[in-house]
Amino acid sequence: MESDLTPMMRQYLDIKEKNRDAILFFRLGDFYEMFFDDAVEASRILHITLTSRGTGKTGKIPMCGIPHHAASNYIARLIHNGRKVAICEQVEEPGPGKKLVERAITRIITPGTFIADEILDGAVNNYILAICARDGRFGLAYADLSTGEFKATEIPDKESVFPEMYKISPSELLMQESFISTRDFKDITSVNTGSVSIVDDWMFDHELSAKELKRQFSVNNLEGFGLTGQTPAVNAAGALLKYLKNTQKIELNNIDRITVYNVSEYMVLDRNSQRHLELIQNQDDLSTKGTLYDVLDMTTTPMGKRKLKKWVLNPMLDYNKINERLDAVGFFFSNADIRKKVRTLLSEVYDIERLSNKVSMASANARDLLALASSLESVEKLKHVLNGELPSLMDKAVSGMDDFSGVTRMIRESIVDNPPVTIKEGGIIKKGHDAELDELLDIVSGGKDWITGLQKKEIERTGISSLKVGYNRVFGYYIEVTKANLKDVPDDYMRKQTLVNAERFITEELKEHESRIVGAADRSKNMEYSIFCGIRDEIGRKIDKLKELSEIVAGIDVISDLAEVAVVNGYNRPVVSPSSGLEIRQGRHPVLEKILKDKEFVPNDVRMDDDNRIFIITGSNMAGKSTFIRQVALITIMAQMGSFVPADEARIGLVDRVFTRVGASDRLYHGMSTFMVEMIETANILNNATAMSLIILDEIGRGTSTFDGVSIAWSVVEFIHHYLMGAKAMFATHYHELTELAGIMEGVKNYHLEVQEWGEDIVFLYKVAEGVCDESFGIHVARLAGMPQEVVARARSILANLQKDSLLGSIRSKFAGKTAEQEKQLDFFTYNAGKFPLLDEIKGLDLDRMTPIDALSKLSELKNKAEGR
């Protein structure tokens, strides 16, 4: 069959064979064409017409195409659908007698390497993440090609990989082929939100990876990056770097460093906590609307928006760094005039990070350079505004800003004020910048005047008033005469082209001048392009300083943003310390109070310490239990990210992890019921929480029978109390039986949300008070929801009958009879003489004098005593 194909189609198939996993964009003239299965798939996704190409014996070949100048939007749609796109370009100019030009893959675009800034969301990073598992440890490395960011870390266990993955939210996940058959692969890909790319194992080879990183950063060893001994992280980073080079087909000059971080420096926020607390995505449509990020985002630059998301997802654990950031926010909070000037200047700053990245990748055009120059000028003004006494973080930021006056001057002196988008068609370099270019441009512009004069002269010579002298790219210069006037054409006119209503001619004089003008135009375009590339390359040599500046500007943007938000929303500075306590006075839910708008949000106090570390919170449906416990978590997160908080006062002891178990949801596609999901999330909390954790539980055990549910909820609270000593927990529940725990365990306290009863109606007061609420008022809420009156009335009747033999009196004693503390196995690590007779007897044994037979005999005796025999 292949022998029946044209040379071009054989060329296509050869290239496609090497790129089977990508849709091949094959350049033909001004179009990218797709053939065979690629065409069928692309036409369906892109909604473009599927046609065919005849090739004799081979029959019809499916094909479709798109204009090359509009490729970005089409590629974006394919990438959004999880496809890869291989761009195949002509790599040589067609020449006389050449039937087939050489073509080659110039770039492979994947979900994690898409960098079209007109398509990418400026507030979102587009990350590609590589993961390497080795000896039970996991190396993570991720990059954003659009910004040049490149980071790596090593994580000690698989469970800790999941929250970090969810924070990164990669568009593409890169792993080695041998990993596919492991349980770890299944677990990791099950929580992955992007596409998965599998590569050969050799890509993750340690020696090759280390060599690749050293070559990229021109170093002899990796110690300076903090990668010593971190084999999995090195393997992941090296594999990712090789993958990026293989797909981009260029040297990655924009990736000039790798930042190694430790996840232990930041609060752990697992997937459930991020989702339940709606930190950066809501649970409705997964947008940012109604999230903590949405409330805090008054940033003015794209870099600032991206950094704010990172701060929300990575609250700090170093209270010195937290307070350093709070000092900086406080500076802007207290200096309204400076804050206003800074934010005004920042609003004039473009995305320096992505602009400088385009410069280093040689994809920036003249408009990009002007945007960069404008941004650098605004930053220079910013430095002058921030020239007084500053808190340490701001002082370090301002002193770290490099001088870019030479860059801005070079751009302003060379690039015209309103350049075209293209950089190869001229019109981008100012007159006076280069004498030789000016001379060529004078020839071109003078040629236009000459043409105007020639037309006037020829009209006078021939008497043909409608005669025109024109130009097009295909036929060059011509003299056009309508057919009605052909009788007056002079003998020296040479026919060049025939149209429907006219003829076009050329003269020796015009031909000679055409050669001179066209030659000058071509040379001037080439010269402008060369000059522009030189300017761009010169700026590219400062990529490291530009990236540092971008990082600084983004930080100033977020800090001034947090101050602005604090002023607008009435936030106050929290006191953050390494203690274990938590005290909030008149705290508010940062998101809900914005949603309520004109309605006044009812604030609440909370104090948690060793004597008040587990709260059992009861109250009516809709009374505000969920709001209260979530606002405590959100205020804690805000404080540790360095933000002021919605409270009159807040004293926050460092929290290493925030865990949440909220609501009811299933994962039927994983074969999990609502109750199974609830139990998995609860198990995750109990297995991973520490003494420094904050645990938010909003109902447990509601997905099973009442007795099962109460039993599980009761034992969960006991576990937190006995085994997670120091952990703070807030448990909102309708299981009123749990309130008995406050009477039998130290540190457990009962709280409730107050309501006011008026006959059959109730008024929600949204106020937290100590004590118990024995009613849920669920029937009242059902009535408010529009339940039929018949159902409401019957429910009241059934409730009255049930309350005659209430569970409350008959069940509590059964739950409270023996606690887990009484039933758990002996504590061999804490000895109290006389408390445990068996332990006393064991402690009295002289093991040095016992024979093996004596030891076995004694063990049998102790066993019988333990069993009551």
Side-chain angles (χ1 to χ4, degrees):
M1 172 183 171
E2 196 165 319
S3 61
D4 297 326
L5 296 172
T6 64
M8 187 203 74
M9 288 308 301
R10 285 198 294 272
Q11 182 187 53
Y12 169 87
L13 289 174
D14 288 342
I15 295 172
K16 176 62 183 176
E17 177 65 22
K18 299 173 185 175
N19 298 274
R20 292 182 179 183
D21 62 341
I23 291 178
L24 182 60
F25 274 30
F26 193 73
R27 182 70 176 269
L28 289 176
D30 290 334
F31 282 79
Y32 286 122
E33 301 288 358
M34 288 151 277
F35 300 98
F36 299 103
D37 291 344
D38 280 2
V40 175
E41 186 176 18
S43 66
R44 176 179 55 81
I45 296 172
L46 302 176
H47 303 294
I48 56 178
T49 302
L50 181 68
T51 60
S52 60
R53 181 188 187 101
T55 58
K57 295 180 181 179
T58 60
K60 298 289 186 179
I61 296 175
M63 68 175 290
C64 64
I66 60 167
H68 79 93
H69 61 271
S72 289
N73 284 296
Y74 290 105
I75 292 171
R77 285 159 65 183
L78 291 171
I79 294 298
H80 182 70
N81 280 271
R83 307 305 195 273
K84 297 180 181 179
V85 178
I87 305 296
C88 180
E89 298 282 5
Q90 295 179 185
V91 292
E92 67 173 349
E93 292 295 327
K98 184 180 286 289
K99 293 183 179 181
L100 183 67
V101 297
E102 185 180 352
R103 292 179 175 86
I105 299 296
T106 57
R107 186 181 169 205
I108 299 173
I109 305 171
T110 70
T113 61
F114 187 62
I115 59 172
D117 57 348
E118 68 272 21
I119 306 296
L120 288 177
D121 184 348
V124 179
N125 282 102
N126 188 42
Y127 287 129
I128 176 171
L129 167 68
I131 296 181
C132 175
R134 179 163 175 168
D135 300 328
R137 296 180 298 159
F138 293 81
L140 276 65
Y142 61 93
D144 182 347
L145 266 184
S146 70
T147 64
E149 182 181 359
F150 190 30
K151 290 187 173 182
T153 188
E154 189 166 300
I155 296 178
D157 57 82
K158 182 175 65 177
E159 291 303 319
S160 300
V161 170
F162 302 143
E164 195 63 19
M165 277 185 65
Y166 200 63
K167 286 180 181 180
I168 298 167
S169 293
S171 298
E172 184 176 357
L173 181 61
L174 185 69
M175 287 189 286
Q176 62 199 81
E177 188 174 18
S178 62
F179 198 50
I180 297 176
S181 59
T182 66
R183 173 71 188 184
D184 289 343
F185 176 82
K186 183 178 179 181
D187 292 341
I188 288 173
T189 53
S190 69
V191 300
N192 178 48
T193 56
S195 65
V196 179
S197 295
I198 305 299
V199 297
D200 295 336
D201 284 16
W202 67 265
M203 294 269 284
F204 283 81
D205 177 78
H206 181 68
E207 187 175 339
L208 291 176
S209 293
K211 185 177 180 180
E212 187 70 37
L213 291 169
K214 292 174 188 175
R215 193 183 76 80
Q216 177 70 20
F217 304 124
S218 301
V219 295
N220 292 325
N221 60 69
L222 301 175
E223 291 181 13
F225 297 110
L227 284 169
T228 303
Q230 299 200 36
T231 300
V234 170
N235 296 355
L240 179 55
L241 197 55
K242 289 192 283 286
Y243 181 79
L244 292 176
K245 289 182 178 180
N246 289 344
T247 56
Q248 302 312 293
K249 309 297 181 184
I250 58 172
E251 288 297 320
L252 300 174
N253 297 323
N254 59 322
I255 297 180
D256 62 344
R257 72 193 72 183
I258 183 169
T259 302
V260 178
Y261 67 100
N262 192 331
V263 293
S264 64
E265 297 174 3
Y266 304 98
M267 178 191 292
V268 175
L269 292 166
D270 66 11
R271 181 177 184 176
N272 294 324
S273 297
Q274 293 180 48
R275 187 174 73 248
H276 293 155
L277 295 175
E278 296 183 305
L279 297 181
I280 62 171
Q281 283 185 327
N282 65 45
Q283 296 191 68
D284 184 21
D285 60 4
L286 302 182
S287 72
T288 60
K289 185 178 180 181
T291 63
L292 177 62
Y293 168 78
D294 187 32
V295 170
L296 297 180
D297 182 27
M298 294 179 70
T299 54
T300 59
T301 70
M303 307 95 70
K305 292 183 185 300
R306 296 193 293 269
K307 182 172 281 292
L308 175 60
K309 280 189 177 177
K310 294 172 185 174
W311 284 15
V312 169
L313 293 176
N314 293 280
M316 295 180 288
L317 296 180
D318 186 327
Y319 75 95
N320 289 319
K321 291 182 179 179
I322 295 170
N323 282 297
E324 189 178 42
R325 194 178 285 177
L326 287 170
D327 288 343
V329 175
F331 168 78
F332 283 116
F333 182 85
S334 303
N335 293 277
D337 186 51
I338 294 177
R339 184 177 73 249
K340 182 179 179 181
K341 289 178 181 178
V342 166
R343 288 175 58 77
T344 298
L345 287 170
L346 286 171
S347 68
E348 300 169 358
V349 175
Y350 294 89
D351 196 336
I352 297 176
E353 189 173 31
R354 283 184 172 163
L355 285 172
S356 58
N357 192 66
K358 290 178 72 176
V359 168
S360 69
M361 294 186 73
S363 62
N365 61 25
R367 294 184 182 184
D368 292 326
L369 295 195
L370 289 181
L372 180 61
S374 176
S375 300
L376 295 175
E377 288 164 349
S378 295
V379 171
E380 189 62 32
K381 296 174 185 175
L382 186 69
K383 288 164 65 176
H384 292 298
V385 172
L386 297 170
N387 63 353
E389 187 174 343
L390 301 169
S392 61
L393 191 63
M394 293 301 302
D395 187 57
K396 284 187 285 187
V398 175
S399 62
M401 293 180 176
D402 214 43
D403 180 13
F404 289 95
S405 57
V407 172
T408 55
R409 185 167 54 252
M410 177 170 58
I411 294 172
R412 292 300 187 193
E413 290 177 354
S414 59
I415 307 297
V416 298
D417 294 336
N418 188 27
V421 175
T422 60
I423 58 175
K424 292 187 176 182
E425 298 300 320
I428 57 178
I429 302 300
K430 280 184 175 179
K431 194 166 186 177
H433 180 74
D434 186 279
E436 186 179 352
L437 175 61
D438 289 346
E439 185 178 341
L440 290 172
L441 293 175
D442 285 343
I443 293 173
V444 175
S445 61
K448 293 176 181 177
D449 294 337
W450 185 88
I451 292 298
T452 302
L454 176 65
Q455 180 172 302
K456 184 178 181 181
K457 184 180 76 171
E458 289 300 311
I459 288 174
E460 292 175 354
R461 180 162 81 99
T462 62
I464 304 172
S465 60
S466 61
L467 180 147
K468 293 188 299 183
V469 178
Y471 171 83
N472 68 39
R473 291 187 178 183
V474 177
F475 293 98
Y477 286 96
Y478 57 82
I479 300 171
E480 185 174 296
V481 179
T482 60
K483 289 190 175 180
N485 294 299
L486 291 178
K487 62 183 184 301
D488 298 321
V489 170
D491 293 339
D492 61 338
Y493 276 28
M494 295 173 282
R495 184 172 275 101
K496 189 171 188 178
Q497 183 186 10
T498 300
L499 304 178
V500 175
N501 297 313
E503 295 280 348
R504 288 177 175 175
F505 301 89
I506 189 79
T507 64
E508 287 295 338
E509 182 184 17
L510 184 56
K511 188 186 298 184
E512 181 181 333
H513 205 79
E514 175 186 45
S515 176
R516 183 165 178 259
I517 295 172
V518 171
D522 289 342
R523 292 203 308 277
S524 68
K525 289 177 184 177
N526 292 334
M527 185 173 289
E528 283 201 60
Y529 176 68
S530 177
I531 292 171
F532 173 79
C533 289
I535 295 169
R536 189 173 61 187
D537 291 345
E538 183 66 26
I539 299 171
R541 296 187 183 97
K542 296 182 177 290
I543 181 64
D544 55 339
K545 294 297 183 182
L546 283 168
K547 287 171 75 171
E548 288 174 9
L549 180 71
S550 172
E551 186 76 9
I552 291 170
V553 171
I556 294 174
D557 188 16
V558 179
I559 289 168
S560 62
D561 158 71
L562 293 177
E564 183 73 15
V565 171
V567 171
V568 171
N569 295 335
Y571 295 173
N572 289 295
R573 175 172 180 162
V575 175
V576 181
S577 69
S579 69
S580 60
L582 186 151
E583 186 172 358
I584 299 169
R585 191 170 69 83
Q586 297 294 282
R588 314 184 305 275
H589 192 293
V591 179
L592 188 56
E593 74 167 348
K594 298 292 288 184
I595 293 173
L596 291 175
K597 294 181 180 177
D598 298 331
K599 297 179 182 178
E600 186 176 351
F601 185 91
V602 179
N604 275 295
D605 298 343
V606 61
R607 181 173 64 84
M608 303 187 82
D609 51 32
D610 291 341
D611 296 325
N612 299 270
R613 69 181 186 88
I614 300 177
F615 287 12
I616 305 297
I617 305 169
T618 52
S620 167
N621 291 292
M622 296 178 61
K625 299 189 300 296
S626 296
T627 297
F628 174 63
I629 61 177
R630 291 189 210 202
Q631 81 185 34
V632 171
L634 290 174
I635 288 172
T636 301
I637 289 169
M638 290 173 67
Q640 289 188 215
M641 66 172 274
S643 170
F644 282 24
V645 299
D648 288 358
E649 292 180 18
R651 306 182 74 84
I652 309 294
L654 286 179
V655 170
D656 66 347
R657 299 170 177 229
V658 171
F659 290 101
T660 63
R661 156 87 280 281
V662 177
S665 63
D666 58 36
R667 299 180 199 165
L668 296 181
Y669 55 93
H670 285 311
M672 298 182 189
S673 66
T674 299
F675 184 63
M676 175 59 79
V677 171
E678 182 181 326
M679 290 299 98
I680 289 174
E681 292 181 359
T682 305
N684 173 58
I685 294 171
L686 300 183
N687 289 324
N688 293 289
T690 73
M692 288 179 61
S693 298
L694 174 63
I695 301 169
I696 302 298
L697 302 172
D698 192 354
E699 302 291 355
I700 287 181
R702 303 289 286 182
T704 186
S705 70
T706 301
F707 285 176
D708 279 355
V710 176
S711 302
I712 292 170
W714 185 291
S715 63
V716 165
V717 177
E718 282 189 349
F719 185 93
I720 294 172
H721 182 271
H722 300 330
Y723 295 100
L724 300 177
M725 297 294 292
K728 296 180 283 291
M730 307 183 82
F731 193 161
T733 183
H734 284 289
Y735 287 141
H736 301 292
E737 295 82 2
L738 299 184
T739 59
E740 292 296 308
L741 288 164
I744 58 178
M745 293 185 198
E746 293 183 1
V748 178
K749 301 292 182 182
N750 289 324
Y751 287 87
H752 70 282
L753 273 294
E754 295 183 323
V755 297
Q756 181 69 53
E757 295 187 63
W758 294 90
E760 292 187 352
D761 291 325
I762 61 173
V763 177
F764 300 113
L765 302 179
Y766 304 111
K767 203 68 181 172
V768 176
E770 193 165 359
V772 178
C773 174
D774 283 334
E775 293 190 63
S776 294
F777 300 102
I779 295 174
H780 173 76
V781 174
R783 182 170 67 82
L784 292 178
M787 195 73 76
Q789 288 298 321
E790 294 84 355
V791 174
V792 173
R794 177 58 178 151
R796 286 199 178 108
S797 174
I798 294 171
L799 178 63
N801 290 331
L802 289 173
Q803 287 177 336
K804 292 177 184 178
D805 186 24
S806 173
L807 290 173
L808 298 181
S810 60
I811 295 297
R812 283 178 177 168
S813 61
K814 296 180 180 179
F815 283 115
K818 278 190 176 182
T819 68
E821 177 70 24
Q822 294 166 324
E823 293 187 339
K824 69 180 181 179
Q825 67 180 19
L826 296 178
D827 185 352
F828 286 99
F829 301 99
T830 303
Y831 175 68
N832 294 298
K835 187 174 181 180
F836 302 111
L838 283 177
L839 196 58
D840 293 338
E841 190 171 350
I842 293 170
K843 189 169 180 65
L845 295 175
D846 188 351
L847 298 180
D848 293 334
R849 294 179 177 274
M850 294 182 74
T851 66
I853 296 298
D854 291 338
L856 287 172
S857 177
K858 192 64 180 178
L859 180 60
S860 177
E861 179 187 333
L862 291 172
K863 181 176 182 295
N864 290 333
K865 286 182 179 181
E867 292 174 347
R869 289 187 283 174

